[in-house]
Amino acid sequence: MATPDTTILSPDQATALVRGAFDGTSNSLPLNNVLPNTSNAEGLQVSWEANTRVEDDEMPFSAFDAEAPYGKTTGAGATKMLKLMPLRKRMRTTEMDIIMNRGNSADWQRDKLTEYFQQLGTEAAFRLERARADTIVNAKLDISENGLKGVSYDFERAASLETTLNTGKKWSDSTVNPIKDIKAWKDKIKAVDGDKPTLMLTTTTVMDALAENPFIIKFAATTEPDLERPQVAYQNVINVFKQYAGVTPVTVDDQYDAYLRTQRIKFKGGVETFFPENTVILLPGAGGGLGETAIGPTAETSITGYDIAGLGNGFIGAVFSSIGNQPGYEAYATGTGLPVLRMANSTFKATVM
């Protein structure tokens, strides 16, 4: 096992850079509010009972000197297990980097490695956000990359909580009432003991169709219905859904685009690979035990030479000398984590366009 090089950046300094970038990026991405990052108390294992609600009981009034009755024991559902998977990547200062910067000075290497560690922390946040999107949209997570083959988790969303609107009955059809659809889907969630939805995750493609829907235009009218206007504003659409359906639309792709513009970057494959543009997801607001993104430990926090013990669960970083006879260093970052959807029956997926 290679020993970290501490001459440029120590492991605790590198770890601070990785975690700072990871936390800052993750907190700026929309789905972190739905399945927030949490430190996993069970190490690499996560256990839960899918969609389980414990039925409440009551203590009865009693006559004086009467024996106390026993409380009932509530049977538990099947326990699900999930093992957190490693995420890791490294970046290297190359021969060309060194030549172009006229040397291999400690200051230049420190700046370059700092940039790399921040990039690696950001990339870890992006990968977990993509995993969150897969989990929320599909109630499943499949991973096949970098040595992992056929890793699959099913969070057991009821089949009744997914629908694809038929051709001619989609929200772009002027005869379809989207508010009626939402109310019917909320009833389906209630039928399987899911939590009442208050959020509707969707995209600008869907919002554009809703803005031209005659039912939405009619609901949005503040005086006599003005059915002559071709469309209403996004805010009108939001107000209609809040008032008549009890859910607040959130355009996920807009939030991604806003973040990407400020950072001057783009997602691999485009924003639509994170959240399908013709999709609606209903779910409760933040909190309520819907799930989390569990962040686990790494072996490095307990290995002598890293000197980062006590930092708990989270991503770590370390500098290594380049392998071989080329000059330079490598920035290495790793961590363990996965999203967990505990109450999949509190979500509803619809393909509406």
Side-chain angles (χ1 to χ4, degrees):
M1 181 188 69
T3 301
D5 189 304
T6 60
T7 59
I8 305 297
L9 288 171
S10 65
D12 60 334
Q13 290 172 318
T15 295
L17 290 167
V18 172
R19 292 191 181 185
F22 174 81
D23 291 341
T25 302
S26 195
N27 291 338
S28 299
L29 297 173
L31 299 183
N32 184 60
N33 294 324
V34 179
L35 298 178
N37 295 326
T38 60
S39 179
N40 188 49
E42 299 180 56
L44 291 178
Q45 298 289 337
V46 181
S47 62
W48 77 99
E49 295 174 12
N51 300 306
T52 298
R53 288 177 175 272
V54 178
E55 188 177 40
D56 195 14
D57 199 3
E58 296 179 348
M59 179 183 291
F61 287 100
S62 181
F64 287 105
D65 298 324
E67 291 291 335
Y70 286 102
K72 65 179 181 180
T73 301
T74 304
T79 299
K80 303 283 289 184
M81 298 294 295
L82 176 151
K83 181 184 288 185
L84 303 186
M85 292 295 170
L87 298 91
R88 57 171 61 104
K89 195 173 182 178
R90 56 185 173 174
M91 303 288 291
R92 179 182 175 189
T93 55
T94 66
E95 289 181 281
M96 182 175 291
D97 289 333
I98 294 170
I99 293 171
M100 294 298 291
N101 286 276
R102 296 181 175 84
N104 193 23
S105 71
D107 286 343
W108 176 79
Q109 287 285 5
R110 186 177 297 107
D111 291 343
K112 193 66 177 176
L113 290 168
T114 295
E115 175 188 326
Y116 282 161
F117 282 122
Q118 291 172 333
Q119 178 181 339
L120 291 170
T122 296
E123 290 185 4
F126 285 164
R127 184 62 188 92
L128 281 176
E129 177 77 357
R130 188 186 294 275
R132 273 194 286 253
D134 288 342
T135 299
I136 292 166
V137 171
N138 302 310
K140 296 179 182 180
L141 180 61
D142 298 312
I143 306 174
S144 292
E145 60 194 45
N146 197 31
L148 287 178
K149 293 183 179 180
V151 175
S152 181
Y153 298 104
D154 186 343
F155 298 102
E156 299 187 6
R157 181 161 61 200
S160 61
L161 301 182
E162 295 190 19
T163 187
T164 299
L165 298 186
N166 297 327
T167 302
K169 293 295 183 181
K170 297 181 179 180
W171 282 3
S172 55
D173 187 330
S174 62
T175 65
V176 172
N177 183 344
I179 300 299
K180 186 176 181 180
D181 284 338
I182 293 290
K183 290 181 177 180
W185 298 340
K186 291 174 70 173
D187 287 341
K188 289 188 176 185
I189 293 175
K190 184 178 180 180
V192 293
D193 290 329
D195 292 334
K196 180 180 178 181
T198 59
L199 289 179
M200 184 178 90
L201 304 183
T202 190
T203 66
T204 52
T205 299
V206 174
M207 291 291 280
D208 285 340
L210 290 171
E212 297 178 0
N213 182 281
F215 288 93
I216 301 301
I217 294 173
K218 183 175 180 179
F219 285 133
T222 56
T223 57
E224 290 298 317
D226 181 5
L227 299 181
E228 298 301 319
R229 53 181 169 175
Q231 66 179 45
V232 293
Y234 279 8
Q235 189 59 53
N236 294 125
V237 176
I238 293 171
N239 292 342
V240 166
F241 275 86
K242 288 174 67 175
Q243 182 176 356
Y244 293 96
V247 296
T248 301
V250 174
T251 48
V252 178
D253 58 333
D254 265 350
Q255 294 190 35
Y256 284 135
D257 284 336
Y259 176 79
L260 297 176
R261 283 195 302 272
T262 60
Q263 300 299 313
R264 302 192 65 78
I265 56 178
K266 63 180 182 179
F267 284 147
K268 181 180 180 180
V271 169
E272 63 275 7
T273 66
F274 275 67
F275 194 93
E277 63 179 358
N278 297 324
T279 300
V280 162
I281 302 292
L282 299 182
L283 45 77
L290 184 67
E292 72 272 355
T293 302
I295 305 298
T298 63
E300 287 81 2
T301 55
S302 59
I303 293 177
T304 302
Y306 282 82
D307 298 322
I308 51 178
L311 290 182
N313 294 346
F315 285 83
I316 67 97
V319 178
F320 293 92
S321 296
S322 290
I323 299 173
N325 56 9
Q326 292 86 4
Y329 296 93
E330 292 183 352
Y332 170 76
T334 187
T336 58
L338 277 179
V340 182
L341 185 59
R342 296 178 180 271
M343 299 294 291
N345 281 356
S346 293
T347 67
F348 189 97
K349 174 190 175 183
T351 303
V352 298
M353 298 290 293

